[in-house]
Amino acid sequence: MSPVLMHAVVSVDGFIADADDQVGALFDWYGNGEVPLVEGAGFRVSKASAEYTRPMWESLGVTVMGRRLFDLTDGWDAKPPAGEHVVVVSHRPRPADWHPEASHYHFVGDVTEAITTAKELAGERSVAVTAGDIGGQAFALGLIDVVAMDVAPVVLGSGKRFFGATEGERLLDDPHVIVQGDRVLHLQYRVRR
């Protein structure tokens, strides 16, 4: 069965972007190293970050994202950073003029349907759910197996929360992955059931 992980770069105070959807210094670690992360993408990270990030990205079959992130990134110009498929949670249809050849992008109406679709598409590979509102909804519904955070040493003070509007206490196991990169700490926690 496809493991489902909620993933994003996050500030020390729990934000994935500021109120204007700007990431500021959160992504500085993607360009502060000597090791290319992926061919042709321009990311150069520390050796430790590359050894952590490459296998995680290679294990991904599908990314689930919300319509807001899709619009902000223009769907990564129909080239997912990891995995073969992207499932977009949206009440609006796919933009009519957006990359008609991109059959690997799927638009669905709710988070539960998105995770079901993503697991079918992923087969044995992992499913990544972007943090924020969509990830928070999947987390609240018990659809997340692992919380993966790339913690940047930045305090944003306010903005878009890693877990979105999720409320109430939920326990995670102790981190089973801890990797110190350059200006980033990679953590993974299994979600307690």
Side-chain angles (χ1 to χ4, degrees), residues 1 6 17 19 35 39 42 53 66 83 107-108 119 121 129 135 146 150 158 163 165 168 174 176-177 189 193:
M1 184 185 316
M6 181 176 166
V35 182
E39 294 293 323
T53 306
F107 287 72
V108 300
K119 286 176 133 184
L121 292 167
V129 180
V146 174
D150 300 320
S158 65
F163 288 98
D174 288 337
H176 63 282
V177 175
Y189 303 86
R193 304 280 183 213

Side-chain angles (χ1 to χ4, degrees), residues 9-11 14-22 26 68 72 131-133 156 158-164:
V9 180
V10 62
S11 67
F15 298 100
I16 57 174
D18 67 18
D20 296 321
D21 291 311
Q22 301 301 307
L26 288 176
R68 181 162 178 79
L72 286 169
D133 288 334
L156 293 181
S158 65
K160 311 294 182 183
R161 296 171 53 196
F162 184 91
F163 288 98

Side-chain angles (χ1 to χ4, degrees), residues 72-123:
L72 286 169
T73 63
D74 191 30
W76 301 300
D77 201 29
K79 297 174 190 90
E84 288 81 41
H85 295 274
V86 174
V87 177
V88 181
V89 180
S90 178
H91 297 293
R92 294 178 284 144
R94 172 192 183 115
D97 59 346
W98 185 82
H99 293 279
E101 79 286 355
S103 61
H104 54 289
Y105 276 68
H106 313 268
F107 287 72
V108 300
D110 66 57
V111 171
T112 302
E113 181 184 3
I115 300 299
T116 300
T117 300
K119 286 176 133 184
E120 290 169 1
L121 292 167

